[in-house]
Amino acid sequence: MYNWIVANKEVLSVIASLGSLVIWLVYAQLLYLGFRRQRRPRLIINRGRNKDIDALCLISNMSAESLFIEYIIAELETSEGTITMDVTDFEQEYEEGDEEQGEGPSPKTTKPSNVSDNTRQGPIKPGDFFHIGTFSELIQRLARDEGIRMRGTVPQGDLEFTRLTLRLIGIYGPEDMPIGAERSFDLKRDNGRYALIPASWNTKRLSSYWHRHKLRKNVEKLNATNFSSASSFRHVNREEDIDNRRAAERASKE
């Protein structure tokens, strides 16, 4: 045995060196994966308290470091177009009957006690969370901004709400480029109410280089234009539309 080892010592030395290299490569890979896991930002958008449209919209920070929320963008898809709004800041409270009378919001008479009473912008500690109100409140806010007449949480007429998407833009720790998160919820009408169904099982993470570059451009645009809301919603005069449709039907029969 000894003579065989002496005769093949060069081959055994190469094998031992290759084995040591493989072990170090595996160890380095494990260290890199652990470091990458700790440095990876992670935001979660989910439902809380309920599972329907009256559920709270929860935002959780599951990252290893604090994350600063800069923008919260809500996007409501309807059968007549899309409504997009910056919901980072709180809406002034409406008095009862303002929606029917077409009046603007009636501001509260008492002054807010701190900054967090006015805006949701700010840092979230690791493992912490907060809510931005219920999904029904978000939908009603977007509908009011577009002048859509509502009956509770359901739009009047033939208009249908199809999907609500929430998009977060923030800064993670000491990094310069923004990161983001996005999740969509399908809206299905059932017995005069909307059911809230997550379009995917998880929150989409927007943290790749391409996503961060695109988010930075979006932030620059939002800051430059003082963005509040935008819309591709198509307002339709329902009575006029019905009359035109009936006239077309009569003409086709003649």
Side-chain angles (χ1 to χ4, degrees):
M1 183 67 178
Y2 176 76
N3 292 333
W4 181 85
I5 294 175
V6 172
N8 297 278
K9 62 179 181 180
E10 293 182 357
V11 177
L12 294 175
S13 177
V14 172
I15 294 175
S17 298
L18 290 176
S20 298
L21 178 62
V22 170
I23 292 173
W24 279 109
L25 287 176
V26 172
Y27 183 67
Q29 181 71 8
L30 292 175
L31 289 177
Y32 171 74
L33 291 176
F35 173 77
R36 183 182 177 185
R37 180 174 177 271
Q38 290 182 348
R39 294 295 304 167
R40 180 181 295 177
R42 182 67 168 166
L43 283 169
I44 296 178
I45 304 171
N46 205 359
R47 300 171 297 178
R49 192 177 65 182
N50 291 313
K51 298 297 184 181
D52 58 9
I53 198 173
D54 292 323
L56 291 173
C57 182
L58 301 178
I59 297 175
S60 306
N61 179 22
M62 303 306 296
S63 311
E65 298 186 28
S66 297
L67 195 148
F68 184 90
I69 296 294
E70 191 167 0
Y71 283 102
I72 304 176
I73 306 297
E75 185 177 275
L76 179 63
E77 298 178 30
T78 76
S79 57
E80 299 292 348
T82 302
I83 307 168
T84 305
M85 178 183 287
D86 177 8
V87 296
T88 311
D89 297 329
F90 287 101
E91 184 184 30
Q92 290 179 310
E93 292 188 358
Y94 275 70
E95 297 293 342
E96 184 178 357
D98 283 351
E99 293 84 353
E100 289 77 8
Q101 298 173 9
E103 298 176 359
S106 301
K108 297 174 66 176
T109 55
T110 57
K111 294 183 178 180
S113 58
N114 50 53
V115 176
S116 62
D117 291 333
N118 271 336
T119 183
R120 302 178 179 100
Q121 184 181 115
I124 313 179
K125 297 179 181 179
D128 202 359
F129 73 96
F130 67 94
H131 72 81
I132 60 174
T134 65
F135 286 90
S136 62
E137 290 171 348
L138 290 173
I139 291 173
Q140 289 174 349
R141 178 175 178 179
L142 270 73
R144 272 197 302 267
D145 183 75
E146 193 59 33
I148 299 173
R149 303 187 68 83
M150 302 284 291
R151 185 181 294 107
T153 59
V154 177
Q156 297 181 10
D158 299 330
L159 180 66
E160 289 290 342
F161 296 152
T162 57
R163 174 173 287 196
L164 177 66
T165 299
L166 292 169
R167 189 174 301 111
L168 308 177
I169 304 176
I171 301 296
Y172 179 57
E175 299 184 9
D176 296 328
M177 296 285 283
I179 63 102
E182 180 180 284
R183 194 174 189 187
S184 298
F185 298 85
D186 292 328
L187 300 171
K188 303 293 185 182
R189 188 183 289 203
D190 183 25
N191 295 326
R193 287 179 57 83
Y194 276 111
L196 190 71
I197 305 171
S200 61
W201 71 272
N202 199 10
T203 303
K204 182 180 179 182
R205 182 168 45 226
L206 308 176
S207 58
S208 66
Y209 176 79
W210 182 82
H211 282 136
R212 291 188 169 193
H213 180 74
K214 186 176 180 180
L215 288 172
R216 189 184 68 178
K217 294 294 184 182
N218 289 340
V219 170
E220 291 175 352
K221 183 178 179 180
L222 292 173
N223 292 337
T225 59
N226 193 24
F227 172 82
S228 176
S229 64
S231 173
S232 63
F233 186 80
R234 183 173 63 92
H235 288 276
V236 178
N237 188 324
R238 298 294 179 184
E239 294 182 358
E240 181 180 349
D241 187 58
I242 293 173
D243 292 340
N244 292 336
R245 189 183 309 167
R246 290 175 177 173
E249 291 176 356
R250 287 195 299 267
S252 61
K253 291 179 180 180
E254 294 174 357

